[in-house]
Amino acid sequence: MAFELPALPYPQDALEPYMSARTLEFHHGKHHQAYVTALNNLIKDTPLASKSLEDIVRESFGKPDLQGVFNNAGQHWNHQLFWPSLKKGGGGALPSELETRIVRDFGSVDAFKEAFTQAGVTQFGSGWAWLIVDNGVLKVTKTANGENPVAHGKVTLFGVDVWEHSYYLDYQNRRADYLKAVLNNLANWEFVADRLQKAG
Ligand code: MN3
């Protein structure tokens, strides 16, 4: 079964003004689609074609001959997580179980947001900022390009794309402003809390 581009879980203009319809038109419709198309072409008629996306990410990570597969599988996985991590009217109060864990592991919600923003701002070039569970502890990490916590065997709760294609039309070079808008106005904390509950 070939991989398919998942539909956005909201209308293309739902995240205005924090993420424009034009950004989503290109980011979802062109960039994410291109990763899916490239991945399908690369794994066609290979043993990887019958594997899950997570298995493809793990099995191609760190293998020079499978770098192209890893880049596109990683990016497909990353964007599949990203779209439902956002919602119209998001970024409000955190569900209590998520807030409790964040306060325990970061000191406060504001301290978590600051650490997450710093991770995104200091990722040199393209990449992602993440909230992960590492041996039961919530941590903020960052990765370059298509790499993700799946490749490192970590449970991922939340990830924000910091490739320029995710913010340049709306924020130009102001990556920190984009990250703050995602955290304070778009983040679907109920979705994140649901992933935490499943992670245990
Ligand atoms: Mn992207």
Side-chain angles (χ1 to χ4, degrees):
M1 278 295 290
F3 292 105
E4 291 181 6
L5 179 71
L8 284 176
Y10 33 72
Q12 208 169 62
D13 63 354
L15 306 183
E16 299 263 10
Y18 305 107
M19 189 178 287
S20 66
R22 185 133 174 97
T23 287
L24 281 174
E25 176 188 353
F26 279 85
H27 195 179
H28 174 261
K30 304 292 184 190
H31 290 274
H32 189 177
Q33 178 67 69
Y35 298 130
V36 173
T37 301
L39 174 62
N40 284 331
N41 287 336
L42 286 164
I43 64 174
K44 192 169 184 284
D45 300 325
T46 78
L48 290 171
S50 61
K51 306 227 169 176
S52 72
L53 184 57
E54 288 79 5
D55 281 346
I56 294 172
V57 169
R58 283 188 284 261
E59 292 181 23
S60 61
F61 180 54
K63 294 184 181 147
D65 56 325
L66 293 176
Q67 185 67 50
V69 171
F70 178 77
N71 291 342
N72 289 287
Q75 283 292 72
H76 179 33
W77 191 92
N78 297 347
H79 289 85
Q80 275 200 327
L81 178 72
F82 188 46
W83 307 129
S85 298
L86 310 175
K87 70 170 190 178
K88 183 183 183 69
L94 276 59
S96 60
E97 283 183 34
L98 176 62
E99 181 173 2
T100 299
R101 290 285 291 276
I102 282 189
V103 170
R104 187 192 76 184
D105 294 338
F106 294 94
S108 69
V109 173
D110 284 347
F112 154 68
K113 288 183 176 178
E114 179 59 28
F116 195 92
T117 301
Q118 275 304 306
V121 166
T122 59
Q123 171 54 42
F124 188 75
S126 298
W128 292 75
W130 306 100
L131 175 65
I132 65 166
V133 186
D134 185 7
N135 289 321
V137 178
L138 271 56
K139 292 182 180 172
V140 163
T141 64
K142 60 186 177 182
T143 58
N145 301 320
E147 195 173 321
N148 59 33
V150 176
H152 300 281
K154 304 298 184 198
V155 174
T156 313
L157 302 181
F158 180 61
V160 175
D161 194 340
V162 298
W163 286 55
E164 285 187 348
H165 65 224
S166 62
Y167 62 87
Y168 222 82
L169 290 174
D170 301 325
Y171 300 87
Q172 294 78 49
N173 63 322
R174 291 175 286 115
R175 190 188 284 187
D177 289 353
Y178 155 72
L179 283 158
K180 285 173 187 162
V182 169
L183 293 171
N184 294 321
N185 303 103
L186 295 178
N188 184 347
W189 297 127
E190 291 75 22
F191 176 80
V192 178
D194 190 50
R195 292 180 68 84
L196 175 62
Q197 190 173 32
K198 285 174 184 157

